[in-house]
Amino acid sequence: VKNRRCEVGLSKRENDLIKVFRYMKMRNQCFTVLLGLIFFSCSATVQAKVSAVDSWVRATVDGQSMGGAFLTLKNDSSQEASLESVQSDVATRVELHRMQETNGMIEMVQVNKIQVPAKQSVVLSPKGMHLMLMGLKRTLRTGETIPFLLTVKQNGRIQQIRVKAVVKALSQ
């Protein structure tokens, strides 16, 4: 019959060796778990180097079906990142847009993604790249806060950033 403390029929030295092996096995398992936790926390830190700051939304009037959102994307890492998509519960969809001049006319053009170079920031502004809120579900009033979920891709990994944007007056 096996006993946790000793094996029947073995010498004291053999039983001591079994105890040492069991202890080493438990220690190795703890070490493996610790290494996994360290690796996971390091990889999460690498992904968290893209952030969104200075976010705001332009107020809308009753019945308006589209709106604009603006922010600055900061990439503190040494690798390029891209804003792939944006979601918000105030609109049926959010599109990525840029302004371009064609034959002397300024027009908005939808883009698939917005590149954020390594160690740089990209400003999304009313006269440049911006987020277009399509199919607004309600009027956006000055002073309220609108939640967004940004999906960023960097080095093959997807990062989601939650942003709260303040609604500013139409005149801004």
Side-chain angles (χ1 to χ4, degrees):
V1 176
K2 289 185 178 180
N3 184 324
R4 286 186 177 190
R5 296 187 183 253
C6 64
E7 301 286 332
V8 177
L10 298 177
S11 70
K12 180 176 178 356
R13 186 172 194 285
E14 290 169 326
N15 276 316
D16 287 343
L17 282 173
I18 290 172
K19 288 179 193 176
V20 167
F21 285 126
R22 284 183 182 154
Y23 171 76
M24 294 298 286
K25 182 178 177 184
M26 182 182 73
R27 209 172 106 197
N28 283 343
Q29 289 171 341
C30 290
F31 182 71
T32 302
V33 168
L34 181 63
L35 278 177
L37 288 172
I38 290 170
F39 176 76
F40 177 75
S41 66
C42 287
S43 66
T45 302
V46 168
Q47 289 185 356
K49 292 195 176 188
V50 176
S51 59
V53 297
D54 303 327
S55 56
W56 63 282
V57 177
R58 183 172 280 150
T60 60
V61 296
D62 292 338
Q64 190 172 333
S65 64
M66 294 184 288
F70 316 97
L71 54 88
T72 299
L73 292 168
K74 293 176 64 176
N75 183 357
D76 293 328
S77 78
S78 58
Q79 296 180 343
E80 181 178 76
S82 60
L83 176 62
E84 300 284 318
S85 65
V86 180
Q87 297 173 335
S88 179
D89 43 355
V90 299
T92 56
R93 71 183 187 280
V94 180
E95 295 179 357
L96 310 175
H97 280 211
R98 68 179 166 83
M99 303 299 278
Q100 81 176 24
E101 185 178 338
T102 306
N103 298 326
M105 300 291 293
I106 301 293
E107 62 181 353
M108 281 191 297
V109 178
Q110 184 178 359
V111 296
N112 292 328
K113 58 186 168 184
I114 295 175
Q115 297 298 127
V116 187
K119 302 284 185 190
Q120 292 184 35
S121 295
V122 173
V123 177
L124 279 58
S125 66
K127 294 181 181 178
M129 290 183 284
H130 58 276
L131 306 177
M132 203 65 200
L133 309 176
M134 308 299 282
L136 284 175
K137 298 176 182 177
R138 62 181 178 79
T139 304
L140 307 179
R141 306 256 184 239
T142 302
E144 70 177 313
T145 303
I146 307 297
F148 289 93
L149 182 64
L150 281 57
T151 301
V152 175
K153 187 174 183 180
Q154 185 175 34
N155 197 27
R157 292 186 174 158
I158 299 296
Q159 172 190 356
Q160 292 194 314
I161 304 169
R162 294 193 183 281
V163 175
K164 291 189 183 274
V166 176
V167 179
K168 294 185 177 182
L170 280 169
S171 60
Q172 297 207 349

